[in-house]
Amino acid sequence: MNYRHAYHAGNFADVLKHVVLLALVEAMEAKPTPFAYIDTHAGSGCYALEGKEAGKTGEYRDGIRRLLFPDLGADNGQAATLPPLLRRWLDGILALPGNEDGLKLYPGSPLQAARAMREGDSAHLCELHPEEAVRLRELFARDGRVHVHHRDGYEALKALVPPQEKRGLVLIDPPYEAQDAEYRVIERALKASLARWPTGVYAVWYPIKLRSQVQPFLRGLQHGMARRVLRAELLVHADDSPLRLNGSGMVILNAPWNLDEVLREPLRAMARLLGQGQPARWNLDWLVNDSGDTAPPPRSPAPRSPRPR
């Protein structure tokens, strides 16, 4: 994909990924003890939406900017109200310094997580690209909770887990430049990390072009990886073309108990607001439940949101 996140900041895939991330951070904060946040592919941390990269693609216009107008396609006044989680997420971004006069900056995963974390929590951010690692260090130079690692995130996991806090969340969000081979790398990293830290929460973002490309990865997660695996997906196009990003998903290993209920209404609202020429579709289901039972991923996404009017 030759992916540089600055070109795609704030797009529909980011909306899904970062709303799920906020839900996970809030779940971690349900307990008073500190937790660690580990980001294997952190990027530079913050992106100018009218800058050279994001301005060139304009993908945020069909992503976060649509949430600024929740009455778009609404059937009634109630539908025009963003669900509380989605509202908190959007308000947090609009409260970022630099966004006082409107949506100008989009914070990446590291900055969104750090802004949601508490004083006693910690963050370990891994970024291999030298220029982006420099920007990341500059961004967090005054935040003692945050540690930036200029190294391969998969390799860093071997040293970072389990964290000192014993509680925490790992976000694996690679650029998928290796296409299908990336999934094998993720599988190996998850297996090794779970062996050392079986109680950690692991969230993996993945792109959806052809459904056949992601199905083997999802099926692999159903066999012995973790006792609870939740899948959340949002598709703005049919998953039958390799030429574009049709959707994206998040799988969460050791997902919090009620995360599916927390995400249900936000996903339904995202599907209504972010559809591109046709109703967006979404999936939210347990690939593995607590008893170890598995359910094969359905062949086609469901349910559908109402068609915008």
Side-chain angles (χ1 to χ4, degrees):
M1 294 177 68
N2 194 21
Y3 190 91
R4 290 293 300 276
H5 193 75
Y7 288 95
H8 312 285
N11 67 3
F12 74 90
D14 263 359
V15 175
L16 171 67
K17 174 173 59 184
H18 291 139
V19 170
V20 173
L21 177 61
L22 177 60
L24 288 169
V25 170
E26 291 184 346
M28 287 288 167
E29 293 176 344
K31 294 184 179 180
T33 53
F35 72 92
Y37 168 72
I38 301 171
D39 196 325
T40 62
H41 298 76
S44 60
C46 194
Y47 308 93
L49 292 177
E50 296 298 338
K52 177 181 177 181
E53 295 89 351
K56 182 177 181 179
T57 63
E59 290 185 14
Y60 74 94
R61 298 186 182 96
D62 285 328
I64 185 174
R65 196 173 78 167
R66 290 193 179 193
L67 302 188
L68 300 176
F69 310 100
D71 57 339
L72 179 66
D75 294 323
N76 52 60
Q78 184 177 4
T81 302
L82 292 178
L85 175 66
L86 201 52
R87 182 78 255 172
R88 291 195 300 275
W89 175 77
L90 181 60
D91 286 347
I93 290 178
L94 295 177
L96 184 73
N99 283 342
E100 295 88 353
D101 298 321
L103 185 62
K104 306 294 184 182
L105 300 175
Y106 187 83
S109 303
L111 189 53
Q112 291 194 37
R115 287 174 60 83
M117 283 163 36
R118 302 164 300 188
E119 185 63 31
D121 302 324
S122 68
H124 295 270
L125 313 177
C126 306
E127 177 52 51
L128 188 58
H129 192 284
E131 294 180 3
E132 297 205 346
V134 168
R135 297 191 188 102
L136 199 62
R137 289 188 189 278
E138 293 173 348
L139 183 63
F140 292 105
R142 298 183 180 181
D143 194 335
R145 304 170 305 163
V146 178
H147 311 276
V148 176
H149 307 268
H150 179 203
R151 62 186 299 190
D152 179 87
Y154 296 123
E155 291 296 322
L157 275 179
K158 298 176 182 178
L160 294 175
V161 301
Q164 182 178 357
E165 293 87 348
K166 306 302 180 185
R167 299 179 59 237
L169 163 66
V170 175
L171 175 64
I172 300 177
D173 175 25
Y176 288 89
E177 292 179 346
Q179 300 280 340
D180 292 349
E182 192 80 50
Y183 291 114
R184 310 292 83 77
V185 178
I186 294 171
E187 288 171 355
R188 291 194 295 270
L190 286 172
K191 288 179 180 178
S193 297
L194 282 162
R196 292 190 298 274
W197 189 30
T199 60
V201 177
Y202 300 84
V204 182
W205 178 87
Y206 56 92
I208 303 175
K209 291 184 175 182
L210 293 173
R211 174 60 59 179
S212 59
Q213 291 177 326
V214 70
Q215 283 292 75
F217 172 65
L218 297 179
R219 293 189 187 281
L221 295 177
Q222 293 180 284
H223 302 286
M225 278 282 196
R227 295 188 64 187
R228 293 175 65 80
V229 181
L230 182 68
R231 180 259 302 266
E233 291 182 346
L234 181 69
L235 293 104
V236 298
H237 302 290
D239 50 1
D240 58 2
S241 171
L243 302 179
R244 63 187 178 190
L245 184 65
N246 296 309
S248 72
M250 293 280 283
V251 283
I252 303 95
L253 286 71
N254 294 330
W257 280 94
N258 66 336
L259 187 63
D260 56 334
E261 294 304 319
V262 172
L263 293 176
R264 195 172 308 280
E265 288 306 314
L267 266 169
R268 184 174 286 117
M270 285 184 238
R272 176 175 61 83
L273 290 166
L274 301 180
Q276 297 182 14
Q278 59 182 355
R281 296 178 290 174
W282 56 280
N283 293 323
L284 182 64
D285 58 356
W286 292 98
L287 301 183
V288 183
N289 64 25
D290 187 57
S291 64
D293 297 331
T294 62
R299 293 184 179 180
S300 60
R304 295 175 179 268
S305 67
R307 182 178 295 275
R309 296 178 180 177

